[in-house]
Amino acid sequence: MDRDKFKDFKKPPQSYWMASISRSEYPTLNQDLKVDIAIVGGGITGILCAYFLNKEGLNPVILEADRILQGTTGHTTAKISSQHGLIYNKMKTQLGEELTKQYANANESAIQMYKQIIDENNIDCDYLPQSAYVYTLQDKYISKINDEADTAASLGIKSAYVEETPLPFSVKAAVRFDNQAQYHPLKFLIPLAEKISDNGIQIFERTRIVDIEENSSYENSNYVLTTEQGNKIAANKVIIASHYPFYNKSGLYFARIYTERSYAIAIKAKEKYPGGMYISAEEPTRSLRSLASDEGELIIVGGEHHKTGQGPDTRKHYEALVDFANNTFTLEDIPYRWSTQDCMTLDDIPYVGHFTSDTPNMYIATGYGKWGMTNSMAAAMLLRDLIVNGESPWQDVYNPSRKTIIASAKNFVVENLNVAEKLVEGKISPLPEKVDIKPGEGKIVQIDGRRAGAYRDEQGTLHVVNTTCTHMGCELEWNPAERTWDCPCHGSRFTYEGDIVEGPAVKPLNRYNDVNTIEKLIK
């Protein structure tokens, strides 16, 4: 069999989760509103926050820039696990036992809450208990894995150090967490969204918030939110659950978060999957889990990561996963592939709580890294507790203003130097005078001495945009795997026509409409 035939990526990427389920549509906000709580973002965190607050008798409004649940939530590997790589021993060393125990308890509680919600609401979402493993093929990680197993056990997590796993290849060592699970995230969340909508929660799609004004006199509210269409929402409390925070007036989150892209393929293999969920301790990261589909058993092979808008041809990451799959299983087909974007914090712990220490009525949840399934559930429970009770047992470890983040000052300097480098690099890089752009290709071009991005679609039509990011002015790079323009500074992404795919940008790119003239300039 030709092993390279699976690398012929002619079809655009598509998430299995999004392809395998239908969804309800919700209206676009077309009038002004006055609400008690506005939730900005209709991903997993926004839906869960609304669910918990609704159970407390509150009626927040969800405002989603695009369609609910189709961002990072719809492009996950969907492991419900408190095992977040080799994190607990490192966290205990850096932060102490009390904060580490808060994090462990939050994520273990999140696993239990999933099962409770599923049972209470009779949700069929392919929920399946599994053990989760971090494994290594290298001797240098054996002691780290042993330490992780001991630390996790001391925190109350059912964990064990093992030297064998069900995987079809030998490992040097692994740490196993029991009582973990996997599921279909959209089969869980879409019914939940319908339930809260039936209970009176208003959900608005294609309603992008472009500004928030504090201490507003408008409708005697603490905040007024403005939509892209110009409508205003007066709110006493605001939860920013938009993945990357788009609001820049305080908090400096753009300097404390960086974004990474990672990749997944869903394969059909000749062999039956042995069970369990897996991730490698070493780079390049390799992740495995199975799923039952109408097409038979599929295996999700995940891994590969790089900063958004940086690195080599993004198609190479899919190719690397295909090579791993070929070396591990007898590969028969790859019906789905997708990538996702994760917000990374300086110390690998999410920011969940008050937006800043002096914004008692504005809250944030972001920075889940690669572990959004349990951290999002924990975040929603934490924010509910802060809003309803004024405190949470996990508030200190997740506190966005935590003093312990000072220990990550080196990461702060490194990440912001990288942003500065990319900002300058994009402005001074030389541009070719003439460029040949074939169908399916995107390239940086020079138009009247200015940098622009040109993409020729399969029908031969040219699409040209200004490549200066509308967030903070960085120059975008072409992503051939997804056919998008990506920002190497803060992770905003745009279609080849200039529309926003992911924030923090809230304005689309400017387009060049005189394509006939541009054709003459770039040929």
Side-chain angles (χ1 to χ4, degrees):
M1 180 181 292
D2 180 7
R3 292 166 64 91
D4 287 337
K5 77 170 188 175
F6 296 111
K7 298 178 182 178
D8 186 13
F9 303 127
K10 289 185 177 179
K11 293 181 180 179
Q14 184 179 39
S15 156
Y16 167 77
W17 315 120
M18 295 180 65
S20 60
I21 193 167
S22 59
R23 64 179 66 208
S24 301
E25 288 210 24
Y26 296 93
T28 298
L29 181 65
N30 58 10
Q31 62 185 27
D32 293 346
L33 277 182
K34 183 174 183 180
V35 302
D36 186 32
I37 304 172
I39 300 174
V40 183
I44 185 170
T45 303
I47 298 297
L48 289 174
C49 279
Y51 173 78
F52 287 128
L53 291 171
N54 188 231
K55 286 177 72 74
E56 297 291 336
L58 302 173
N59 287 295
V61 169
I62 296 175
L63 306 161
E64 166 56 41
D66 200 338
R67 299 285 309 280
I68 65 168
L69 305 171
Q70 73 170 24
T72 299
T73 301
H75 294 81
T76 175
T77 54
K79 298 176 180 178
I80 304 174
S81 178
S82 60
Q83 184 191 77
H84 300 167
L86 300 179
I87 188 173
Y88 290 106
N89 193 59
K90 173 186 172 184
M91 190 182 295
K92 185 176 179 181
T93 301
Q94 293 180 348
L95 304 182
E97 184 168 2
E98 174 55 33
L99 292 180
T100 306
K101 194 166 185 62
Q102 283 187 28
Y103 189 83
N105 288 345
N107 285 278
E108 283 283 287
S109 298
I111 298 172
Q112 297 169 18
M113 183 55 71
Y114 271 107
K115 188 66 166 63
Q116 182 177 325
I117 293 174
I118 289 167
D119 290 344
E120 286 180 356
N121 296 281
N122 297 313
I123 299 174
D124 181 5
C125 59
D126 303 333
Y127 178 89
L128 183 65
Q130 292 278 17
S131 292
Y133 298 78
V134 179
Y135 71 89
T136 185
L137 306 180
Q138 299 179 10
D139 288 333
K140 67 179 182 179
Y141 284 95
I142 294 175
S143 62
K144 293 181 181 180
I145 284 177
N146 198 14
D147 291 343
E148 185 74 3
D150 289 344
T151 300
S154 74
L155 297 169
I157 297 171
K158 190 175 181 182
S159 62
Y161 172 85
V162 297
E163 294 181 345
E164 293 183 355
T165 73
L167 287 169
F169 52 82
S170 299
V171 303
K172 295 282 187 178
V175 53
R176 185 188 72 227
F177 281 22
D178 294 326
N179 303 325
Q180 314 290 290
Q182 64 185 46
Y183 75 145
H184 189 308
L186 299 193
K187 284 185 179 180
F188 171 74
L189 289 161
I190 288 174
L192 213 59
E194 291 171 351
K195 179 180 178 64
I196 61 176
S197 178
D198 290 343
N199 287 347
I201 298 293
Q202 291 180 286
I203 300 174
F204 294 102
E205 295 183 322
R206 298 184 177 93
T207 302
R208 184 179 298 279
I209 302 302
V210 297
D211 189 34
I212 301 178
E213 182 183 346
E214 299 181 49
N215 302 317
S216 171
S217 59
Y218 179 76
E219 295 284 353
N220 296 314
S221 59
N222 292 323
Y223 299 97
V224 58
L225 294 72
T226 304
T227 72
E228 192 173 30
Q229 293 82 10
N231 297 119
K232 295 187 182 300
I233 303 101
N236 291 321
K237 297 181 186 295
V238 175
I239 296 173
I240 296 179
S242 56
H243 195 47
Y244 196 115
F246 68 95
Y247 182 66
N248 284 326
K249 293 180 182 177
S250 58
L252 296 177
Y253 284 96
F254 64 87
R256 298 197 284 141
I257 292 173
Y258 63 98
T259 59
E260 285 192 352
R261 296 201 65 73
S262 55
Y263 298 78
I265 57 176
I267 70 167
K268 285 185 178 180
K270 184 176 180 180
E271 301 85 358
K272 182 173 175 56
Y273 186 75
M277 306 183 299
Y278 304 86
I279 191 166
S280 62
E282 61 266 24
E283 300 283 349
T285 303
R286 294 292 178 260
S287 167
L288 290 163
R289 63 153 287 192
S290 66
L291 63 90
S293 78
D294 293 340
E295 306 165 57
E297 181 181 71
L298 299 178
I299 302 170
I300 299 179
V301 180
E304 296 288 303
H305 65 90
H306 62 88
K307 283 192 173 182
T308 303
Q310 302 185 32
D313 186 334
T314 46
R315 290 171 294 197
K316 299 295 183 184
H317 299 287
Y318 285 119
E319 292 174 2
L321 295 181
V322 172
D323 287 338
F324 176 79
N326 255 322
N327 292 330
T328 307
F329 305 99
T330 305
L331 192 54
E332 295 183 334
D333 192 17
I334 305 178
Y336 303 96
R337 62 186 172 94
W338 63 92
S339 66
T340 194
Q341 187 144 303
D342 297 302
C343 290
M344 317 296 291
T345 68
L346 299 177
D347 60 359
D348 298 324
I349 302 170
Y351 302 137
V352 184
H354 294 288
F355 192 83
T356 67
S357 58
D358 59 354
T359 55
N361 295 302
M362 180 182 283
Y363 306 85
I364 189 169
T366 188
Y368 301 152
K370 315 291 183 184
W371 306 105
M373 295 299 97
T374 52
N375 270 318
S376 60
M377 180 68 80
M381 296 162 73
L382 191 161
L383 293 179
R384 171 203 60 195
D385 290 347
L386 288 182
I387 291 171
V388 175
N389 304 321
E391 60 181 3
S392 162
W394 312 322
Q395 66 188 40
D396 293 335
V397 70
Y398 284 100
N399 184 357
S401 303
R402 54 187 176 265
K403 299 296 186 288
T404 53
I405 206 168
I406 294 172
S408 302
K410 179 181 177 182
N411 290 345
F412 176 87
V413 172
V414 169
E415 295 306 329
N416 284 284
L417 277 175
N418 177 258
V419 168
E421 287 171 2
K422 291 299 175 182
L423 177 60
V424 173
E425 181 182 291
K427 302 297 183 186
I428 65 174
S429 297
L431 300 174
E433 291 292 335
K434 299 293 181 180
V435 178
D436 179 31
I437 303 176
K438 297 180 176 61
E441 285 186 345
K443 293 183 179 180
I444 301 296
V445 299
Q446 185 174 184
I447 298 175
D448 294 334
R450 295 183 180 181
R451 193 179 193 270
Y455 169 76
R456 192 180 301 280
D457 63 29
E458 301 298 342
Q459 288 71 45
T461 302
L462 197 64
H463 306 266
V464 186
V465 296
N466 185 327
T467 57
T468 301
C469 182
T470 57
H471 174 231
M472 294 184 74
C474 291
E475 293 299 330
L476 307 174
E477 298 293 339
W478 178 245
N479 176 346
E482 319 296 328
R483 298 183 181 183
T484 57
W485 293 104
D486 296 357
C487 178
C489 295
H490 304 108
S492 294
R493 300 175 61 235
F494 304 83
T495 69
Y496 57 76
E497 293 181 313
D499 296 324
I500 298 169
V501 176
E502 297 191 58
V506 296
K507 294 180 180 179
L509 301 177
N510 291 325
R511 304 179 189 180
Y512 291 87
N513 294 318
D514 189 2
V515 176
N516 291 330
T517 300
I518 292 170
E519 286 275 18
K520 297 174 184 177
L521 289 172
I522 68 174
K523 283 183 178 178

